[in-house]
Amino acid sequence: MTRLLLIFLTATLTRAIPAAIELNSLTEAAEMVPDQTLVYKTVGERELRLHAFLPENLELTNSPSVLCIHGGGWRGGEPRQFFPHCRYFATRGIPAFAVEYRLVDESAGTTILDCLADCDDAVAYARAHAMELGLDPDRVAVMGDSAGGHLAASLGTLPSVTNHANAVINCNGIMDLTDRWIGNVPDRDPVVAAALSPLLNVSSNTAPMLHLHGLADTVVFPIEAENMHAALTNSGVRSELRLLADAKHAFILPGYTAPQEQIVEGLDASDRFLESLGY
């Protein structure tokens, strides 16, 4: 990636922060190393981890937090994809955690239900350990991309989730599994698909959401975000929709499909959304 592109944060942001952050610096090797690695769950012999990125020179007390959930069609991807974003949030004074979760694997018997259960338990861990980590259990936000966007939105929406997030940043996420995505549902069961679809489970209790979607996304169509935004708004839930011209799928990930300008736009929108919620 080229250097010298800066994220400018305007005077409307109230927290004292550096005037600018170089996006490229967030992807350098030293910045891609978590400050802590926490085991939040053990399944059989496998340990699932939260990769923590923490603010410097800040005594954490009742701090908001962000859990970042990678995409990859529920079958691929890795937490490292969100390390730059976690480091960015840490520079803004917010502890951020990249979530490791089990992937769909027929040979291992894991399904999308396991993906969601792990992310649910990651939120539970953050809340259960809020005092020792210095976190506010009532200000836990989640951010996800693509399939991770689905999981993030599910954490803010589905009745089956036991640890609902307090805010959601949905980056080109899948909101309805009952149609073209039903092949990812166990046994292609339409009842399960509906139960796993954030779009079909919106209520007045759904968490506030920001939707970021590229208009050039041919993997997850922008209509997913548009429909979700409309459903939330109709239910009286705060929702913001940002459609990015020329942005392709997974534009939020450095070194993937997007120029730095689009990644910056997405990070800046996320920053402003969380700031507006008191994060």
Side-chain angles (χ1 to χ4, degrees):
M1 290 188 291
T2 59
R3 299 183 65 86
L4 302 178
L5 185 67
L6 302 180
I7 301 173
F8 290 101
L9 301 171
T10 70
T12 58
L13 301 179
T14 59
R15 193 171 289 163
I17 58 170
I21 297 171
E22 188 178 350
L23 176 62
N24 192 66
S25 69
L26 301 175
T27 63
E28 292 175 351
E31 295 302 309
M32 293 279 283
V33 178
D35 297 307
Q36 294 181 20
T37 300
L38 309 169
V39 176
Y40 74 89
K41 180 177 182 177
T42 301
V43 182
E45 297 182 353
R46 180 176 177 182
E47 295 180 335
L48 298 175
R49 297 174 172 82
L50 292 176
H51 303 275
F53 291 77
L54 307 174
E56 292 184 4
N57 304 319
L58 180 67
E59 183 177 347
L60 297 178
T61 304
N62 209 38
S63 172
S65 58
V66 180
L67 274 63
C68 296
I69 306 172
H70 70 82
W74 303 283
R75 298 171 180 270
E78 58 180 349
R80 185 179 181 83
Q81 292 172 321
F82 265 105
F83 281 9
H85 311 74
C86 289
R87 181 60 73 196
Y88 170 74
F89 287 123
T91 67
R92 291 286 282 123
I94 298 179
F97 306 84
V99 180
E100 175 187 0
Y101 61 91
R102 287 173 292 169
L103 302 176
V104 172
D105 183 348
E106 287 79 5
S107 64
T110 53
T111 72
I112 190 173
L113 296 170
D114 297 302
C115 301
L116 180 58
D118 292 345
C119 293
D120 192 356
D121 287 337
V123 175
Y125 180 93
R127 289 206 172 104
H129 295 268
M131 183 172 294
E132 64 190 79
L133 295 173
L135 307 181
D136 182 349
D138 296 321
R139 289 189 294 168
V140 179
V142 291
M143 177 180 190
D145 164 68
S146 191
H150 163 262
L151 294 170
S154 295
L155 292 173
T157 305
L158 302 188
S160 61
V161 168
T162 57
N163 295 279
H164 287 95
N166 302 109
V168 175
I169 300 172
N170 160 38
C171 303
N172 46 258
I174 299 156
M175 299 294 104
D176 185 357
L177 275 66
T178 62
D179 191 5
R180 61 190 293 253
W181 302 102
I182 197 168
N184 296 284
V185 175
D187 300 322
R188 302 177 64 92
D189 187 328
V191 174
V192 175
L196 288 172
S197 296
L199 178 64
L200 304 181
N201 289 277
V202 170
S203 74
S204 60
N205 296 320
T206 296
M209 293 193 191
L210 168 66
H211 311 278
L212 303 172
H213 214 114
L215 288 173
D217 191 338
T218 59
V219 179
V220 179
F221 301 142
I223 193 66
E224 299 259 8
E226 294 173 310
N227 287 344
M228 189 65 178
H229 172 66
L232 290 165
T233 301
N234 291 338
S235 295
V237 177
R238 177 175 171 182
S239 179
E240 296 183 17
L241 175 65
R242 293 283 296 271
L243 299 175
L244 284 71
D246 303 320
K248 299 178 182 179
H249 190 62
F251 70 89
I252 200 69
L253 303 180
Y256 192 61
T257 65
Q260 291 195 67
E261 290 88 346
Q262 291 175 352
I263 303 169
V264 167
E265 185 176 354
L267 274 174
D268 183 63
S270 301
D271 189 293
R272 293 173 187 275
F273 175 70
L274 292 177
E275 186 76 22
S276 72
L277 294 175
Y279 283 55

XYZ file of all heavy atoms in Angstrom, residues 82-135:
417
model
N -8.443 -8.371 11.268
C -8.923 -7.190 11.968
C -7.902 -6.611 12.947
O -8.234 -5.694 13.710
C -10.234 -7.500 12.697
C -11.457 -7.128 11.903
C -12.220 -8.111 11.285
C -11.834 -5.806 11.767
C -13.345 -7.774 10.547
C -12.959 -5.457 11.031
C -13.719 -6.436 10.419
N -6.673 -7.084 12.927
C -5.660 -6.518 13.816
C -5.458 -5.019 13.574
O -5.356 -4.246 14.539
C -4.340 -7.262 13.662
C -4.288 -8.597 14.388
C -5.418 -9.156 14.967
C -3.094 -9.312 14.470
C -5.371 -10.389 15.625
C -3.030 -10.529 15.130
C -4.155 -11.068 15.706
N -5.367 -4.552 12.309
C -5.182 -3.098 12.118
C -6.323 -2.269 12.704
O -6.098 -1.198 13.274
C -5.110 -2.950 10.591
C -4.693 -4.290 10.095
C -5.345 -5.270 11.024
N -7.545 -2.759 12.566
C -8.698 -2.035 13.095
C -8.655 -1.998 14.624
O -8.962 -0.970 15.236
C -9.991 -2.696 12.630
C -10.024 -2.976 11.157
N -9.290 -4.008 10.597
C -10.672 -2.370 10.127
C -9.492 -4.012 9.286
N -10.323 -3.042 8.977
N -8.268 -3.126 15.214
C -8.149 -3.174 16.666
C -7.092 -2.190 17.156
O -7.298 -1.488 18.154
C -7.810 -4.590 17.121
S -9.159 -5.783 16.955
N -5.962 -2.132 16.462
C -4.923 -1.179 16.847
C -5.431 0.249 16.690
O -5.144 1.117 17.507
C -3.659 -1.394 16.011
C -2.507 -0.458 16.371
C -2.075 -0.620 17.828
N -1.346 -1.859 18.033
C -1.117 -2.400 19.230
N -1.587 -1.816 20.322
N -0.451 -3.535 19.333
N -6.188 0.487 15.634
C -6.746 1.823 15.438
C -7.636 2.219 16.608
O -7.510 3.318 17.174
C -7.549 1.887 14.135
C -8.344 3.174 14.020
C -7.701 4.379 13.743
C -9.715 3.175 14.243
C -8.417 5.558 13.673
C -10.431 4.347 14.170
C -9.791 5.542 13.890
O -10.499 6.709 13.835
N -8.570 1.332 16.992
C -9.454 1.654 18.099
C -8.666 1.882 19.388
O -9.010 2.745 20.197
C -10.498 0.557 18.293
C -11.566 0.543 17.240
C -11.804 -0.599 16.482
C -12.338 1.672 16.993
C -12.785 -0.608 15.503
C -13.326 1.662 16.016
C -13.545 0.523 15.260
N -7.587 1.117 19.568
C -6.752 1.305 20.754
C -6.120 2.693 20.766
O -5.997 3.321 21.824
C -5.671 0.226 20.815
N -5.731 3.199 19.594
C -5.172 4.547 19.538
C -6.223 5.593 19.890
O -5.882 6.711 20.288
C -4.606 4.878 18.141
O -5.667 4.940 17.184
C -3.574 3.865 17.709
N -7.479 5.234 19.757
C -8.579 6.137 20.099
C -9.007 5.986 21.561
O -9.950 6.620 22.007
C -9.771 5.867 19.183
C -9.541 6.274 17.755
C -9.593 7.789 17.591
N -10.973 8.248 17.579
C -11.468 9.160 18.433
N -10.707 9.662 19.369
N -12.717 9.530 18.342
N -8.299 5.122 22.293
C -8.586 4.957 23.703
C -9.571 3.865 24.034
O -10.037 3.762 25.169
N -9.906 3.034 23.038
C -10.881 1.959 23.257
C -10.196 0.604 23.140
O -9.643 0.279 22.082
C -12.029 2.038 22.238
C -12.795 3.357 22.382
C -12.981 0.867 22.411
C -13.931 3.518 21.383
N -10.214 -0.234 24.167
C -9.690 -1.592 24.040
C -10.462 -2.343 22.958
O -11.691 -2.270 22.886
C -9.949 -2.213 25.419
C -10.120 -1.059 26.347
C -10.731 0.038 25.525
N -9.730 -3.063 22.112
C -10.361 -3.799 21.016
C -9.819 -5.219 20.980
O -8.645 -5.459 21.283
C -10.121 -3.091 19.688
N -10.676 -6.143 20.574
C -10.344 -7.561 20.613
C -10.742 -8.221 19.299
O -11.888 -8.106 18.858
C -11.090 -8.250 21.766
C -10.881 -7.609 23.108
C -11.651 -6.507 23.496
C -9.916 -8.081 23.975
C -11.466 -5.906 24.731
C -9.721 -7.496 25.221
C -10.505 -6.394 25.599
N -9.809 -8.913 18.666
C -10.108 -9.695 17.469
C -10.498 -11.096 17.916
O -9.755 -11.768 18.645
C -8.903 -9.742 16.537
N -11.658 -11.547 17.475
C -12.251 -12.789 17.978
C -11.850 -13.985 17.107
O -12.026 -13.964 15.888
C -13.789 -12.688 18.011
C -14.406 -13.980 18.532
C -14.232 -11.490 18.854
N -11.331 -15.001 17.739
C -11.109 -16.295 17.079
C -12.339 -17.162 17.347
O -12.774 -17.280 18.499
C -9.859 -16.968 17.636
C -9.612 -18.363 17.090
C -8.460 -19.080 17.790
O -7.861 -18.484 18.711
O -8.180 -20.233 17.431
N -12.896 -17.745 16.299
C -14.055 -18.627 16.486
C -13.930 -19.854 15.588
O -13.188 -19.848 14.607
C -15.364 -17.878 16.221
C -15.523 -17.312 14.819
C -16.127 -18.045 13.795
C -15.077 -16.025 14.512
C -16.287 -17.524 12.520
C -15.221 -15.486 13.236
C -15.825 -16.242 12.244
O -15.977 -15.719 10.986
N -14.638 -20.905 15.933
C -14.610 -22.116 15.115
C -15.259 -21.846 13.761
O -16.248 -21.115 13.679
C -15.349 -23.253 15.821
C -14.614 -23.848 17.001
C -15.505 -24.844 17.741
N -16.623 -24.147 18.413
C -17.660 -24.754 18.956
N -17.762 -26.088 18.891
N -18.615 -24.052 19.556
N -14.686 -22.431 12.731
C -15.214 -22.276 11.387
C -16.075 -23.473 11.011
O -15.951 -24.550 11.592
C -14.066 -22.127 10.396
C -13.100 -20.967 10.657
C -11.953 -20.997 9.657
C -13.821 -19.624 10.623
N -16.952 -23.260 10.037
C -17.770 -24.361 9.536
C -16.860 -25.423 8.923
O -16.008 -25.130 8.088
C -18.775 -23.858 8.490
C -19.498 -25.024 7.829
C -19.780 -22.895 9.134
N -17.028 -26.640 9.371
C -16.191 -27.753 8.900
C -17.007 -29.034 9.039
O -17.219 -29.526 10.151
C -14.905 -27.831 9.731
C -13.951 -28.916 9.257
O -14.356 -29.762 8.430
O -12.800 -28.929 9.717
N -17.480 -29.555 7.917
C -18.321 -30.754 7.950
C -17.612 -31.934 8.594
O -18.213 -32.714 9.341
C -18.779 -31.134 6.538
C -19.830 -30.223 5.942
C -19.251 -28.921 5.397
O -18.012 -28.768 5.403
O -20.045 -28.062 4.943
N -16.314 -32.066 8.335
C -15.580 -33.203 8.895
C -15.473 -33.123 10.417
O -15.406 -34.146 11.107
C -14.173 -33.287 8.285
O -13.398 -32.150 8.633
N -15.468 -31.893 10.941
C -15.397 -31.711 12.388
C -16.774 -31.578 13.016
O -16.908 -31.546 14.243
C -14.563 -30.477 12.710
N -17.801 -31.499 12.165
C -19.158 -31.383 12.666
C -19.535 -29.990 13.142
O -20.539 -29.825 13.832
N -18.740 -28.974 12.779
C -19.056 -27.610 13.199
C -19.888 -26.906 12.130
O -19.680 -27.102 10.931
C -17.785 -26.800 13.475
O -16.909 -26.877 12.344
C -17.077 -27.326 14.699
N -20.827 -26.092 12.567
C -21.742 -25.388 11.676
C -21.735 -23.900 12.011
O -21.073 -23.448 12.959
C -23.176 -25.929 11.802
O -23.722 -25.495 13.062
C -23.201 -27.454 11.728
N -22.540 -23.171 11.272
C -22.690 -21.745 11.526
C -23.216 -21.484 12.935
O -22.937 -20.440 13.530
C -23.613 -21.124 10.455
C -23.599 -19.604 10.527
C -25.019 -21.670 10.573
C -24.357 -18.950 9.390
N -23.936 -22.450 13.493
C -24.413 -22.320 14.869
C -23.252 -22.257 15.850
O -23.322 -21.556 16.868
C -25.348 -23.475 15.212
C -26.652 -23.536 14.405
C -27.368 -24.862 14.656
C -27.547 -22.360 14.748
N -22.181 -22.994 15.558
C -20.994 -22.958 16.414
C -20.262 -21.628 16.271
O -19.728 -21.096 17.253
C -20.062 -24.121 16.069
C -20.701 -25.474 16.340
O -21.095 -25.727 17.491
O -20.825 -26.275 15.382
N -20.222 -21.092 15.048
C -19.613 -19.770 14.844
C -20.300 -18.746 15.736
O -19.640 -17.956 16.435
C -19.746 -19.333 13.393
S -19.010 -20.412 12.152
N -21.626 -18.755 15.704
C -22.391 -17.793 16.486
C -22.246 -18.042 17.983
O -22.094 -17.095 18.769
C -23.861 -17.851 16.082
C -24.801 -16.884 16.816
C -24.352 -15.444 16.642
C -26.232 -17.062 16.322
N -22.263 -19.302 18.385
C -22.127 -19.621 19.812
C -20.796 -19.126 20.359
O -20.719 -18.601 21.483
C -22.263 -21.125 20.026
N -19.726 -19.272 19.578
C -18.411 -18.810 20.024
C -18.387 -17.291 20.177
O -17.861 -16.760 21.168
C -17.328 -19.258 19.044
C -17.125 -20.761 19.047
O -17.607 -21.435 19.987
O -16.486 -21.278 18.110
N -18.955 -16.577 19.202
C -18.975 -15.118 19.287
C -19.835 -14.653 20.456
O -19.496 -13.671 21.138
C -19.462 -14.535 17.971
S -18.334 -14.807 16.579
N -20.928 -15.340 20.697
C -21.775 -15.068 21.854
C -20.966 -15.226 23.138
O -21.010 -14.388 24.049
C -22.963 -16.038 21.827
C -24.073 -15.680 22.802
O -23.912 -14.720 23.583
O -25.112 -16.352 22.783
N -20.186 -16.292 23.219
C -19.372 -16.538 24.410
C -18.230 -15.529 24.535
O -17.778 -15.230 25.653
C -18.804 -17.961 24.368
C -19.863 -19.016 24.643
O -20.881 -18.688 25.274
O -19.683 -20.175 24.200
N -17.754 -14.993 23.414
C -16.711 -13.967 23.475
C -17.249 -12.701 24.142
O -16.565 -12.074 24.969
C -16.194 -13.655 22.069
N -18.472 -12.320 23.790
C -19.105 -11.178 24.447
C -19.319 -11.478 25.929
O -19.080 -10.622 26.796
C -20.435 -10.819 23.766
C -21.141 -9.695 24.530
C -20.205 -10.399 22.318
N -19.741 -12.707 26.220
C -19.950 -13.100 27.619
C -18.657 -12.988 28.415
O -18.651 -12.527 29.565
C -20.486 -14.525 27.680
N -17.545 -13.389 27.809
C -16.242 -13.320 28.494
C -15.884 -11.868 28.797
O -15.428 -11.543 29.903
C -15.170 -13.966 27.624
C -13.790 -13.950 28.253
C -13.347 -15.028 29.013
C -12.935 -12.855 28.098
C -12.089 -15.023 29.596
C -11.683 -12.837 28.680
C -11.259 -13.920 29.429
O -10.014 -13.901 30.006
N -16.072 -10.992 27.798
C -15.741 -9.584 28.003
C -16.536 -9.011 29.173
O -16.004 -8.243 29.991
C -16.010 -8.790 26.730
N -17.802 -9.389 29.258
C -18.637 -8.873 30.349
C -18.267 -9.515 31.690
O -18.195 -8.834 32.720
C -20.111 -9.124 30.038
C -20.634 -8.243 28.910
C -22.121 -8.021 29.025
N -22.564 -7.034 28.056
C -23.220 -7.331 26.928
N -23.530 -8.587 26.649
N -23.575 -6.373 26.101
N -18.024 -10.815 31.687
C -17.706 -11.510 32.931
C -16.385 -11.037 33.520
O -16.195 -11.068 34.739
C -17.671 -13.018 32.698
N -15.470 -10.604 32.655
C -14.150 -10.157 33.106
C -14.012 -8.642 32.990
O -12.900 -8.116 32.942
C -13.066 -10.858 32.293
C -13.031 -12.341 32.504
N -12.231 -12.950 33.459
C -13.728 -13.343 31.907
C -12.430 -14.260 33.422
N -13.330 -14.521 32.504
N -15.140 -7.958 32.951
C -15.117 -6.509 32.760
C -14.320 -5.795 33.847
O -13.551 -4.870 33.558
C -16.548 -5.964 32.715
N -14.458 -6.220 35.085
C -13.783 -5.517 36.168
C -12.274 -5.645 36.044
O -11.544 -4.645 36.121
C -14.255 -6.051 37.527
C -13.639 -5.317 38.711
S -14.363 -5.800 40.295
C -16.035 -5.162 40.095
N -11.782 -6.866 35.801
C -10.333 -7.040 35.720
C -9.745 -6.452 34.448
O -8.576 -6.051 34.419
C -9.964 -8.525 35.824
C -10.482 -9.389 34.689
C -10.305 -10.864 34.952
O -11.120 -11.424 35.717
O -9.357 -11.436 34.407
N -10.559 -6.377 33.377
C -10.077 -5.792 32.130
C -10.333 -4.289 32.060
O -9.862 -3.630 31.121
C -10.760 -6.476 30.933
C -10.441 -7.956 30.719
C -11.309 -8.534 29.617
C -8.966 -8.143 30.388
N -11.066 -3.756 33.036
C -11.364 -2.331 33.040
C -12.423 -1.927 32.053
O -12.434 -0.788 31.567
N -13.353 -2.841 31.730
C -14.352 -2.585 30.698
C -15.718 -2.254 31.298
O -16.045 -2.678 32.405
C -14.497 -3.812 29.794
C -13.226 -4.371 29.160
C -13.570 -5.574 28.284
C -12.500 -3.308 28.364
